Amino acid sequence: MSERTSYAAQPDLHADCGSCFGLCCVALPFSRSSDFPVNKSAGTPCGNLQEDFRCGIHQRLRDTGYNGCTVFDCFGAGQKVSQVTFKGVSWREEPGSARAMYEVFPVVRRLHELLKYLAQALDLPAAGPVHPELRRAYERLDALTHDPVETLLAADADALRGEVNPLLLRASELVRAAVPGRKKDHRGADLMGSRLRGAKLRGASLRGALLVAADLSGSDLRDADLIGADMRDTDLRGADLRGALFLTQAQLNAARGDARTKVPQELNHPSHWAA
């Protein structure tokens, strides 16, 4: 891969629903809540899944109570399992493969999430000193996602995350060290519902922080580490998240923002955000 090529921009790490067998709509369970209007067990197709594996209410998910669907991201695992692991043969064409397909999908999804974070770190020039280790970890995980079902099901995703996390943390520290001033440390903090409007959080660590319904409107979150932060209903109106580390589209989709919210170039303003 060319040094000028973005790792995180690779198609393999972005969901391609047209190449997937609707795995998130079948393999995963959900319960009636503010995120879903009904109960569904794992391995049971959602009632909105069509014969072509597309969602029949995709444009109306939020209007019909399926908010949870709009914030889910498989990071490209759906098409990997459908087209690579099972070689393009769907669970409808080969019902005998269904159970294994449903079991392996969450595993590959976790691996692809790790790949996404590694890719983002590899795209950070300031993290150059740790790039060789990041690249080796990326290549090893990527090779694993191409392995047979049996190997994937035997993979210890928690152990792999434990190996990758120190590299991501080092990359984060290298980037944030260049940010002027003292950086706040809210790693793993419970900030649920906190009033942080206009907070100066540039270069802060918010790794794994609970930010549910927190008011971060107008806050400076540039270069802040947001890996694993729970941003459900977080108020990001007018906030500046440019350069935010390990921020995902799913986190933005779960939050509230508006046209004034500044997001990293590779991410998009969710369609449900206020104008």
Side-chain angles (χ1 to χ4, degrees):
M1 179 177 294
S2 168
E3 290 295 328
R4 299 180 60 186
T5 300
S6 168
Y7 276 81
Q10 293 183 85
D12 284 355
L13 299 179
H14 297 266
D16 178 6
C17 297
S19 299
C20 177
F21 299 142
L23 295 183
C24 63
C25 307
V26 184
L28 307 179
F30 53 72
S31 301
R32 185 172 182 176
S33 63
S34 59
D35 289 325
F36 298 99
V38 296
N39 296 319
K40 188 190 84 65
S41 58
T44 301
C46 173
N48 300 305
L49 185 65
Q50 301 181 120
E51 287 298 315
D52 62 357
F53 301 114
R54 293 182 180 275
C55 175
I57 59 168
H58 181 71
Q59 301 301 323
R60 299 181 291 111
L61 285 169
R62 285 187 168 268
D63 295 337
T64 51
Y66 286 87
N67 294 349
C69 296
T70 67
V71 302
F72 179 78
D73 189 349
C74 76
F75 301 102
Q79 68 259 25
K80 174 68 70 63
V81 172
S82 299
Q83 303 301 327
V84 177
T85 312
F86 287 88
K87 299 177 171 46
V89 181
S90 76
W91 48 270
R92 282 188 174 135
E93 296 170 278
E94 184 52 66
S97 69
R99 182 174 179 178
M101 194 177 297
Y102 303 158
E103 290 178 349
V104 82
F105 170 63
V107 175
V108 178
R109 193 261 178 193
R110 293 188 68 186
L111 297 178
H112 267 241
E113 182 181 14
L114 290 177
L115 283 171
K116 184 72 171 182
Y117 290 142
L118 287 167
Q120 290 175 337
L122 282 164
D123 285 340
L124 298 170
V130 76
H131 277 182
E133 293 176 84
L134 288 166
R135 192 172 294 109
R136 284 193 292 271
Y138 182 96
E139 291 172 352
R140 185 161 61 91
L141 281 183
D142 183 54
L144 176 59
T145 66
H146 289 81
D147 279 345
V149 172
E150 296 76 16
T151 304
L152 287 165
L153 291 178
D156 188 338
D158 288 333
L160 291 169
R161 180 179 289 274
E163 295 174 15
V164 166
N165 273 341
L167 299 178
L168 300 177
L169 179 58
R170 179 60 178 147
S172 170
E173 291 171 341
L174 287 167
V175 173
R176 293 185 297 112
V179 176
R182 184 176 180 181
K183 274 75 70 177
K184 296 182 180 179
D185 186 359
H186 294 299
R187 182 175 182 177
D190 183 351
L191 299 174
M192 182 174 180
S194 296
R195 298 179 180 179
L196 297 169
R197 184 172 186 175
K200 306 301 182 184
L201 294 168
R202 184 176 184 187
S205 175
L206 289 159
R207 297 170 66 89
L210 186 64
L211 299 173
V212 177
D215 182 0
L216 284 168
S217 58
S219 296
D220 185 355
L221 290 159
R222 288 176 295 168
D223 305 306
D225 186 341
L226 290 165
I227 192 169
D230 190 339
M231 299 175 68
R232 288 175 293 167
D233 206 33
T234 305
D235 189 346
L236 296 176
R237 290 175 296 176
D240 190 346
L241 295 107
R242 289 175 295 177
L245 304 175
F246 309 119
L247 179 67
T248 67
Q249 188 64 51
Q251 286 173 303
L252 289 180
N253 291 348
R256 293 182 291 125
D258 59 18
R260 297 174 299 129
T261 307
K262 298 180 178 67
V263 304
Q265 187 175 5
E266 66 274 13
L267 300 178
N268 302 310
H269 280 71
S271 59
H272 63 273
W273 278 12

